Structures are given as C-alpha cells and as structure tokens.
Amino acid sequence: RVVQSVEEQTHYRKMKNYISLNIFILSSIAWAQINFPTPQTRQTPQTSLDFRETLESRAGRHLLLVTLLENLNQPVSEPRFKGSITYQLPSALKDDSTSVGKVPNRAPASPSCCQLEDVPSSSSTVSSRQRAGSLLLPDLLGECSSRGIMNIERGQHLRLFNNTEKQLTQTLAEILLARTSFTHLLSVTAAVRDFVNQELFKEALLIIILSRDDVGMVMPMSPEFLPTNFADTAKQMLEDQSPDTENPVVNVNWNEPPYQTFDQSEPEYNLWYFREDPEANSHHLYWHVLFNNASLDRRGEFFFYMHRQMLVRYNVERLTHGLPQIKSLTPDTWDKPIPLGYFPKLGAEIGTPYQGRPDNLVLADLTDIGLPLSLMEDWYREIEMAIKNKRVSAADGSTINLQAAGGRDEGISVLGDIIESLNSVNGQLYGSLHNIGHVFIARITDPSGRHLADTGVMNGPATSMRDPVFYRWHQFIDDIFSDYKASLPKYTEAELSFPGVKILKSQVMTNRTKNELHTLTDQGEILVPGLDFGSNRTVRVRYNRLNHQPFQFSILVSSKLAKVKAKVRIFLIPKETPDQTAPLAVEVDRFLVSLNKGNNLIRRESSQSTVSGKRQRSLLELQEALSSGNITESELSQFEGCGWPAHLLVPRGTSNGSSFSLFVMLSKLLPGDAALSADPQAVADSAFVHCGLAGRQVPDSRPMGFPFDRPVGWRVEGRSNMALTEVQIIHQDA
C-alpha cells in the first residue's frame, strides 16, 4: 500500500507486527490453558443470521454492534454468538497479516453474515491512498494515531478515572461516529477493533451505542466479575457434571472459599454481598459511561446523589452488622497508612488480573507522571473556598453563584461537575479531585512506576466499589457536598408542606404480613458461552447474593383538592441512625400521582420502583433476546444496565429484625416542574432516580434527595403530608 511518509510506514508496520504477535500469543495461551473442544466435539453453530434482514431492525443493528464486545482478545474475524455472526471486512479495511491469529476449533459461520461494506473516503483522506474512492485501513488507523488513540497499548488497563485517557474513549467514538450510515459505522468500528486498546474500544463502543437513534440503549452486564484463573476451576466443575446436562452450572460465591476476599474474622467480610455484587458493580460502570455525556440534564447533581445513596446504603449495612460508620479519607489522613487492604482475586477481561492492595500502605506522589499529592490538597482548598464564598470562578473570568432558588438547587450540578470533574467551569483552578483520587489509590502499590505493576480495582468504575477504601474516598467527596448543602437556607414551611393533602395511613405488606420486609440470601444466575471454559454448552454461572421478598406499599391519602398532582417520596431510615440532622435515608421509590378530591388509596409494588433497574443480562442473554425478537421497542429504549439492582433495593436487616422508619411524603410540584411534561410510560419503565431519562429532563425538579439533602431541622410530627411508620426488616438465611 502507498503511505504518506517513511515515519507513517514505520508506524503502520509496527502496528501490524504488534497485532500479529499479540494474536499469535493469545491463540497459544488460549490453546494451552482454556483447552477448547476438539474438532469432533466442537459446538454446532446455530443458523447464520441474514445480514440484510438483521440490518433492517433496530434490535438487529443493536445486535451487530454489541456482538463486537464478545471476546475482545480474539480477532474480529472469528465467529461469534454461537457461530452465527462472522464480521468479514472489505478488502480496503482488511489487514491480511492478522490471519495468523485464528483460534483453534472455533465454529465457523455461514458466509451470509456478515460481509461488511466499503466506506467512502472522507475529504481529509489523502487521494493517493484511495482505492476506488474507499477508505483504507492505514488512513483510518492514521487518524486514530494522530489523535492519541494508539498511545494506549493493547493489553493495558485503561485508567477511566484519568481524564486524559477517559477523553480518548470519546475521541475514538467521535472518529467512528463521523460515518453517519450504520453500515459504514459498523465497518470502521470492526476495522479498528483489533488495533486499539481493548478497554478503550469497549468504552468507545458503549458511547457510540448511546449516541445513535437507530440502535437501542440496552447494555450487557459487565463481565468483570469472574475470579482469577476461573477458567480452570470452571472446567473441573463442568467435567464433574453429566455431559447430558443442557446448561451445566458453575458457582462463584464471594462469601465462601476460594473466592472470598476477607477472612470471616475481619468485620468487613460481612459486607461481601454489597461490595462484590456483579450487578451493583456493573451499574456503577454504566452510570459512568452514561454520564460521560456532559450535556445530560443535571449531570453533576446525579454524580452527587447516586454516590451519596451508595454511601448511605453502605453505612446502613455497616450499622446492621454492628460496625462503625465509614471513616472519611480526609487530607489529614493522606500521609498515614490505610489500615485495611484488599485483594480482589478478580480476573480482568483484558490484560492481567488486578493488583492487590496490602494493609497499611500510604498514598504517595506519582513521580513517573509528575503528579504530587499536594496538588489534590490545593484543589480541595479552592473548592472549599468556593463553597464558603457561595460562588465559583469560571475559566473565562466570570463567577457562578452556588445557590438554591425557587425550590431548585442551581449550584449542585455546577459543583458536581467541578468535583468529579467533567464539564468543569474551571479545570485549571479546581482540578479533578474525585478522579485523580481514584488514580492515586489505584497506584498505591507502585506510585513511582518503577515496578510496572498493574493497577488496583480503584482504577475504573467496573471494579472500584469492591474495595472498602472506595467508600472512605467517597465519604470524603460526599462531605464536601454536605458542606455545600449546609450553606443553603433550611427548607421552609412552604417547601415542606402540602396544604389540603393528608396521609391517613401508610404501610408495607410482605406475604400478607403488615410492616415487615423480608430479605434472604439466594442465588443470581447468568448465562455465558461454555467455550470460554472448554465446554460446547451454554453455562449457567451462579452466585450468592442478597435479595428480598416482593412487597407492596399501601398509602391512604385524603385530598381537599381535585385533580392535583403530587410526587410521592419513600425512604427507609434505620431507627438507630447516628445523626438525626443527617439521617441515613435510603430512597426506595419516587413517583407521580394524581389525587382526586376525597380519599385516595395508592398501591405500589416493589417491582415498580424507579430507583432500581431491570435485571441486567449477560452479553449472551442479550444477544439471544435481540436475535429472537424477545425484546420490545420500549425495552430497547431503556438504560438497561444503569439502575440500582432490584435485588439490593432493601437493606439486609437481621434475623431478629432491624427497626426502620418508613418515611412517606407527598410533595407539591414546583411551577413548571419537569414531572408535568414527562412521558408517564417512559418514567414508569425507567430507573430515573439514579439514571435520568433518555433525551429528557429529570421528571422531578426538586433537589435530588429532597427533603433529606440538606440538614434536617424540621420534624415529621404535625405535617399532614408526611408519615412515619415503624417497620421491621428481617433477614432469613436458607
């Protein structure tokens, strides 16, 4: 091929050599360790999909994109989804040198799916490289290289809390999204897949999916939950089961050896069901992917509130087990040992397993990249000064007031963007406190880079909440938000009351038992391809988790007003909440009702909660739903993947029962409240409390967490639109 310069020739040749060597090594490792089935026993492929027919539906197009996430370490040309999809690149975007990377015994696919199209070259393409006007692979990779994409090597963990590396995911997405035709987008996306860092590609592809109207928004569950060397263990489990078992089972339990991460003598062990839950970690990942879009309504406020609720819930669980509340990782502790370490025993989807963090390590300057710990202290002081002065200084010299007005919190999103930071009004002054803190902790085992050690789980949102230090760091971040909320005026009687509306009775029912919630330890299950574990069958991965029995809220409301709308807010608060001015209020549901004059009986099922998302599907489960038509247009439009796991909606409680207050409030809508114009069905199908609505305003204009987001100096007694009911949460182990 003709290339523009000697330098570019050298660069392209290096990329070809690198990908060929990388795939050759990968194939050898896969053959030696995973032991794919022999040709006589390999999986029989299902009928190949019809490419043109698949392109005609939104679900089909979504399938073609998400399937690129399958087996990121293997060449794009390998058969996928049980052999029904093989991406065949057009000759102009193909690199024949990667053909050495064929993985043994993968089932071939019929050539009918999917022969990808040539892509017209853009005006920026050098004409001497054009082949009949088609975009060539060197041009596409050259654009990626010129914009820094190739600076992150394949097989290396992407640091998603490093703003520079995080921006590269957006940059790659922009390069690929420049092709407006779906077929052209699919071609260029498949073409770059084997050349760019796998984690960078994955994040960029998720951004692409969220950016296009002609595909869905459903995300597969994050696969980063299987333990280190799990393939060997799973293979033995499968060999011990009858070959006639259609979907054999392998178990992964974080509360039992060999995968538990703390000895039972360590109190933190008791919280395994929270920190290690696959869906909770996957929700955290996809929340960050979704809110990587700075244009989303109230983005900075979502950052504040989603993480606050995570902390509140973690503190409630600690209270249940008799543990002290989270100790904030404040600046005065940064030069002191962090007593409790964490060893994740977690395999990575890409690259080597995550590094363990021993006890008593101390944060240190990152000398290899010239990042001193003192810089975070400077950022913290500037943020605290802004809160004290009730205004922030923008990069253009203007100031923005941090204030609340008209029942709305106008400053919280500005502050949230600054602290995270994304879309900060002044990144130079306020820095990137939250994100860089994650980087310092993730690299605590090798801050100088001398040992080229892998990073810890704090490196990215798919894994970070597994480490107990995550909660200490986020408690520090949340304390800053608390300082801001305390600087706002206290809620007035007019804001808290609802004249003419009175709650006569509120209760919750579980299996016909009044004012009890029942939790239990049961098993979650997801389907994964057996080929990953040396089997020609689909495998069910089961894991222990916390769950609850279905329940129903029943609220009797009297209204002197006709056809008035109200927002119902439901929280669970432990009776022993340590600070009554900042109660540990776990939000359980929030929804809109229309009251008629007289008595109104409101019934609400636990499955209807707008806090929790739908059950997340594995990639295989999602592929099967998309290919079989077992997914509706409405489901395609939901942020499946983002939303607090439904099985974790209720705190654990104790075997003897833990006392909680069920707080119910009916609040007035604000003038012009976004709830008035929201699509009721879209709201009902959503987990908007943490994830918002796709392309719409948040259907509640009051501050997130209202009325508990500011220090509580008011009382429930005497307020007709509020009610407290004592409930018991009882945990029953099998």
Side-chain angles (χ1 to χ4, degrees):
R1 296 186 174 107
V2 180
V3 290
Q4 190 174 24
S5 65
V6 173
E7 181 181 2
E8 186 172 349
Q9 284 182 347
T10 303
H11 177 76
Y12 181 57
R13 187 165 54 251
K14 285 181 178 179
M15 285 193 294
K16 289 205 299 182
N17 291 340
Y18 173 78
I19 192 65
S20 300
L21 178 61
N22 186 54
I23 294 172
F24 176 77
I25 294 173
L26 174 64
S27 302
S28 301
I29 293 173
W31 179 251
Q33 295 185 358
I34 301 179
N35 295 322
F36 291 112
T38 61
Q40 291 78 14
T41 62
R42 72 186 182 194
Q43 180 173 340
T44 302
Q46 66 179 50
T47 304
S48 178
L49 298 175
D50 183 279
F51 186 35
R52 290 299 158 191
E53 184 178 309
T54 304
L55 287 170
E56 290 176 0
S57 71
R58 191 177 178 208
R61 292 187 293 270
H62 196 80
L63 172 65
L64 292 171
L65 280 183
V66 297
T67 298
L68 286 169
L69 295 171
E70 184 180 328
N71 297 321
L72 287 169
N73 286 321
Q74 294 172 11
V76 71
S77 58
E78 287 300 314
R80 306 176 185 282
F81 183 30
K82 301 180 179 180
S84 65
I85 294 177
T86 299
Y87 299 100
Q88 301 173 59
L89 291 167
S91 58
L93 292 174
K94 187 183 296 184
D95 179 19
D96 294 332
S97 68
T98 61
S99 60
V100 299
K102 294 289 184 182
V103 179
N105 297 326
R106 285 291 185 182
S110 164
S112 62
C113 192
C114 305
Q115 178 59 57
L116 305 185
E117 294 182 359
D118 278 314
V119 178
S121 59
S122 65
S123 58
S124 61
T125 303
V126 179
S127 59
S128 62
R129 299 191 210 167
Q130 295 178 13
R131 177 184 301 164
S134 297
L135 176 69
L136 301 183
L137 182 63
D139 296 318
L140 180 59
L141 297 181
E143 183 178 4
C144 291
S145 180
S146 67
R147 299 186 64 179
I149 303 298
M150 299 302 186
N151 293 342
I152 311 298
E153 295 181 0
R154 285 179 62 83
Q156 175 181 316
H157 285 301
L158 189 69
R159 296 172 295 180
L160 283 170
F161 289 120
N162 177 309
N163 284 351
T164 301
E165 295 189 12
K166 186 175 183 178
Q167 179 57 43
L168 290 177
T169 65
Q170 191 72 43
T171 301
L172 178 57
E174 290 171 359
I175 291 172
L176 301 176
L177 283 167
R179 282 79 192 178
T180 55
S181 160
F182 178 81
T183 54
H184 294 161
L185 168 71
L186 184 63
S187 292
V188 293
T189 304
V192 302
R193 182 185 181 276
D194 291 348
F195 292 89
V196 303
N197 175 274
Q198 297 98 315
E199 290 185 356
L200 195 159
F201 174 84
K202 174 183 175 180
E203 297 299 319
L205 181 54
L206 297 177
I207 293 171
I208 289 169
I209 290 171
L210 291 172
S211 301
R212 290 190 65 99
D213 296 332
D214 55 355
V215 297
M217 304 190 78
V218 184
M219 302 297 185
M221 193 168 103
S222 170
E224 293 205 299
F225 66 91
L226 294 177
T228 308
N229 300 324
F230 181 67
D232 292 337
T233 305
K235 181 185 175 185
Q236 184 60 53
M237 290 183 186
L238 295 175
E239 288 177 352
D240 292 340
Q241 298 180 49
S242 168
D244 297 327
T245 304
E246 184 175 353
N247 296 131
V249 175
V250 294
N251 292 292
V252 182
N253 295 319
W254 291 278
N255 61 324
E256 300 171 355
Y259 304 127
Q260 70 184 65
T261 52
F262 288 106
D263 186 79
Q264 293 189 30
S265 62
E266 168 52 52
E268 189 67 37
Y269 160 80
N270 294 295
L271 293 154
W272 63 268
Y273 59 87
F274 190 91
R275 291 181 295 97
E276 309 282 1
D277 185 84
E279 286 195 45
N281 280 274
S282 185
H283 152 71
H284 188 226
L285 165 66
Y286 286 126
W287 185 94
H288 277 276
V289 172
L290 176 63
F291 284 91
N292 193 39
N293 182 350
S295 68
L296 290 179
D297 185 38
R298 298 165 68 178
R299 201 214 72 84
E301 186 174 10
F302 273 113
F303 171 76
F304 148 70
Y305 190 62
M306 190 279 289
H307 288 94
R308 167 164 285 189
Q309 278 292 289
M310 195 181 289
L311 285 171
V312 165
R313 180 60 188 279
Y314 191 66
N315 268 321
V316 168
E317 300 301 329
R318 294 181 68 83
L319 197 64
T320 296
H321 291 286
L323 301 179
Q325 298 295 277
I326 302 166
K327 184 179 179 182
S328 179
L329 197 66
T330 50
D332 62 311
T333 67
W334 294 350
D335 62 348
K336 298 176 178 61
I338 299 174
L340 183 64
Y342 177 71
F343 287 81
K345 301 181 180 179
L346 184 68
E349 183 184 16
I350 305 300
T352 54
Y354 289 96
Q355 183 83 12
R357 179 177 59 80
D359 296 345
N360 297 313
L361 293 187
V362 181
L363 295 174
D365 298 341
L366 302 181
T367 55
D368 59 331
I369 57 175
L371 193 61
L373 200 56
S374 60
L375 186 58
M376 288 207 303
E377 296 177 3
D378 295 340
W379 296 338
Y380 172 61
R381 281 193 295 269
E382 291 293 345
I383 293 170
E384 284 291 305
M385 184 63 68
I387 292 172
K388 181 179 179 180
N389 294 333
K390 299 186 178 182
R391 63 179 181 273
V392 297
S393 299
D396 62 4
S398 63
T399 60
I400 301 171
N401 292 331
L402 297 177
Q403 64 181 14
R408 296 165 168 84
D409 191 334
E410 298 176 350
I412 185 65
S413 272
V414 175
L415 186 62
D417 286 342
I418 284 173
I419 291 173
E420 187 181 6
S421 62
L422 181 71
N423 197 37
S424 173
V425 297
N426 195 337
Q428 186 68 31
L429 180 62
Y430 300 114
S432 181
L433 185 60
H434 163 265
N435 289 349
I436 294 302
H438 269 269
V439 174
F440 272 103
I441 298 170
R443 293 195 52 195
I444 197 170
T445 58
D446 187 20
S448 68
R450 179 181 306 164
H451 304 291
L452 302 178
D454 292 305
T455 59
V457 293
M458 284 287 281
N459 181 67
T463 55
S464 57
M465 65 176 285
R466 294 175 179 271
D467 190 334
V469 79
F470 170 89
Y471 304 93
R472 292 194 61 191
W473 177 246
H474 270 275
Q475 187 63 63
F476 163 63
I477 296 297
D478 192 68
D479 289 345
I480 301 174
F481 287 119
S482 294
D483 289 343
Y484 164 68
K485 289 288 187 176
S487 74
L488 299 176
K490 294 182 179 179
Y491 283 121
T492 65
E493 181 65 25
E495 290 174 309
L496 294 170
S497 64
F498 198 159
V501 173
K502 182 178 182 178
I503 299 176
L504 301 176
K505 185 178 182 181
S506 67
Q507 64 181 33
V508 62
M509 299 287 291
T510 302
N511 295 330
R512 299 183 180 179
T513 303
K514 187 168 69 175
N515 295 330
E516 285 187 2
L517 295 168
H518 293 186
T519 66
L520 67 155
T521 301
D522 70 1
Q523 287 196 311
E525 180 179 288
I526 62 170
L527 299 180
V528 297
L531 282 172
D532 294 341
F533 313 124
S535 171
N536 61 353
R537 296 166 290 175
T538 297
V539 173
R540 292 176 290 170
V541 176
R542 287 181 178 166
Y543 55 91
N544 290 342
R545 64 178 185 179
L546 178 68
N547 203 349
H548 61 82
Q549 297 288 356
F551 58 87
Q552 182 191 71
F553 293 116
S554 179
I555 308 164
L556 182 61
V557 180
S558 172
S559 174
K560 295 180 180 179
L561 310 171
K563 298 187 183 302
V564 62
K565 293 187 182 296
K567 185 69 75 172
V568 181
R569 305 171 190 277
I570 304 178
F571 294 82
L572 283 169
I573 307 171
K575 279 283 190 178
E576 299 177 3
T577 193
D579 183 357
Q580 294 297 330
T581 66
L584 297 174
V586 178
E587 187 162 16
V588 182
D589 205 352
R590 192 192 317 165
F591 56 95
L592 186 69
V593 293
S594 182
L595 300 175
N596 296 315
K597 191 172 183 178
N599 288 351
N600 299 260
L601 181 59
I602 302 168
R603 287 196 173 98
R604 182 79 168 179
E605 302 292 337
S606 54
S607 59
Q608 295 176 287
S609 172
T610 55
V611 170
S612 58
K614 294 185 179 294
R615 175 192 171 271
Q616 295 178 31
R617 291 176 260 209
S618 69
L619 177 58
L620 176 59
E621 290 168 341
L622 181 56
Q623 288 171 320
E624 291 181 341
L626 291 167
S627 65
S628 62
N630 290 329
I631 190 165
T632 66
E633 280 295 316
S634 175
E635 290 173 328
L636 273 174
S637 300
Q638 296 170 24
F639 290 141
E640 185 176 318
C642 186
W644 189 245
H647 61 271
L648 287 178
L649 184 61
V650 179
R652 180 183 182 275
T654 61
S655 58
N656 294 325
S658 297
S659 295
F660 280 73
S661 292
L662 174 66
F663 173 88
V664 178
M665 177 185 190
L666 271 72
S667 62
K668 294 177 292 188
L669 299 189
L670 296 172
D673 199 301
L676 293 168
S677 58
D679 178 357
Q681 190 59 51
V683 175
D685 291 339
S686 76
F688 83 84
V689 170
H690 294 315
C691 304
L693 291 179
R696 300 178 175 93
Q697 288 184 303
V698 180
D700 179 18
S701 294
R702 289 195 184 272
M704 296 179 192
F706 175 81
F708 296 108
D709 60 306
R710 301 183 198 174
V712 175
W714 45 269
R715 297 178 63 83
V716 174
E717 292 78 6
R719 300 185 188 280
S720 64
N721 62 316
M722 299 182 186
L724 283 176
T725 305
E726 184 170 333
V727 301
Q728 294 288 308
I729 301 181
I730 301 169
H731 180 75
Q732 298 172 319
D733 275 322

